[in-house]
Amino acid sequence: MPPHQARSQATRDAIVLSAQQNFAANGYDAASISQICRHAKISKGAFYHHFESKQVLFLEVLGGWLAQLDAELERMVSQGLGVPETIGLMANLLGQIMEQGQDQLPLILTFWQQARKEDVVWEEAFAPFDRYRTYFADMIQRGIDEGSLEGINPELGAQTLISLVVGLLLQSLLDTESEGWSDIATSCIRQVVGSWQRNNGTA
């Protein structure tokens, strides 16, 4: 990569990192472009060279977070384990996200809060839910086909997993005094999947 392109990419990365931190700490409305620029140590001119508005930057942050999540899910699937074991790894991923607490969880809540106010953010933040429902329904169906799962409707099972994840994330955000949310989340998901397994095995 030529030096000028490397500098440009480094500036863009600094803006995105600063935005992540400011959105998580202050929420979307309170996080100003001036704050983001100051923390990134760049000028407003540099900001507008890369992003035409705070909303565009916000969508960039959201898209990057979802892309990272998708990549982690695909990495787990690529290991070639059975479906219960794969979902068990995904439960561990949720636990890791919860362990990051101060960085990631408030940012997730900010995504959801802003989605209620702006249609374009709603589409970016909640459209993936349909994709994840299909993703997990297909995964559960594979588990039924391979003989590791039984007695579960794939669509309802997928909705159950997503609802459980969202509920656990919200609880951990609201109940900041409690500890051990990572272990709780992992155990809850493993228990649910375990109840779907043939002969009531465990994930």
Side-chain angles (χ1 to χ4, degrees):
M1 180 184 295
H4 70 280
Q5 291 184 359
R7 287 193 298 272
S8 179
Q9 186 60 53
T11 298
R12 186 182 184 89
D13 292 344
I15 295 170
V16 171
L17 178 60
S18 176
Q20 289 174 340
Q21 295 170 343
N22 276 274
F23 289 143
N26 305 314
Y28 179 85
D29 291 331
S32 68
I33 290 176
S34 295
Q35 285 177 321
I36 292 170
C37 291
R38 184 167 61 252
H39 292 159
K41 298 181 180 179
I42 54 103
S43 67
K44 283 190 176 181
F47 176 94
Y48 285 112
H49 174 75
H50 291 279
F51 299 98
E52 65 183 48
S53 67
K54 184 172 72 169
Q55 184 192 71
V56 170
L57 174 58
F58 185 72
L59 293 174
E60 172 92 359
V61 172
L62 171 58
W65 189 83
L66 290 172
Q68 183 180 16
L69 177 60
D70 288 346
E72 282 296 312
L73 294 177
E74 287 306 311
R75 182 182 64 80
M76 292 171 185
V77 170
S78 70
Q79 297 185 33
L81 301 174
V83 168
E85 291 78 16
T86 300
I87 296 178
L89 290 178
M90 294 175 179
N92 292 339
L93 174 62
L94 176 61
Q96 292 170 15
I97 291 174
M98 287 180 161
E99 285 178 356
Q100 294 174 358
Q102 297 300 316
D103 296 327
Q104 295 288 347
L105 294 185
L107 187 58
I108 295 169
L109 185 58
T110 299
F111 290 150
W112 291 344
Q113 289 174 326
Q114 197 60 24
R116 297 177 63 246
K117 303 176 184 178
E118 299 184 50
D119 290 343
V120 65
V121 180
W122 173 274
E123 292 174 3
E124 294 293 329
F126 283 93
F129 278 86
D130 288 333
R131 177 162 54 85
Y132 290 135
R133 273 192 292 269
T134 300
Y135 181 88
F136 285 112
D138 290 345
M139 180 177 291
I140 292 169
Q141 184 61 58
R142 289 200 302 274
I144 294 171
D145 294 342
E146 73 184 16
S148 60
L149 302 180
E150 64 180 356
I152 178 66
N153 178 288
E155 286 74 24
L156 291 178
Q159 185 63 64
T160 298
L161 287 176
I162 291 172
S163 297
L164 180 57
V165 168
V166 171
L168 288 165
L169 286 172
L170 284 175
Q171 285 184 70
S172 67
L173 280 164
L174 297 173
D175 185 8
T176 57
E177 298 300 317
S178 297
E179 298 181 353
W181 278 111
S182 173
D183 292 337
I184 292 171
T186 301
S187 297
C188 284
I189 293 175
R190 286 176 176 271
Q191 178 168 295
V192 168
V193 176
S195 71
W196 300 341
Q197 285 188 258
R198 187 179 296 277
N199 298 324
N200 289 324
T202 58

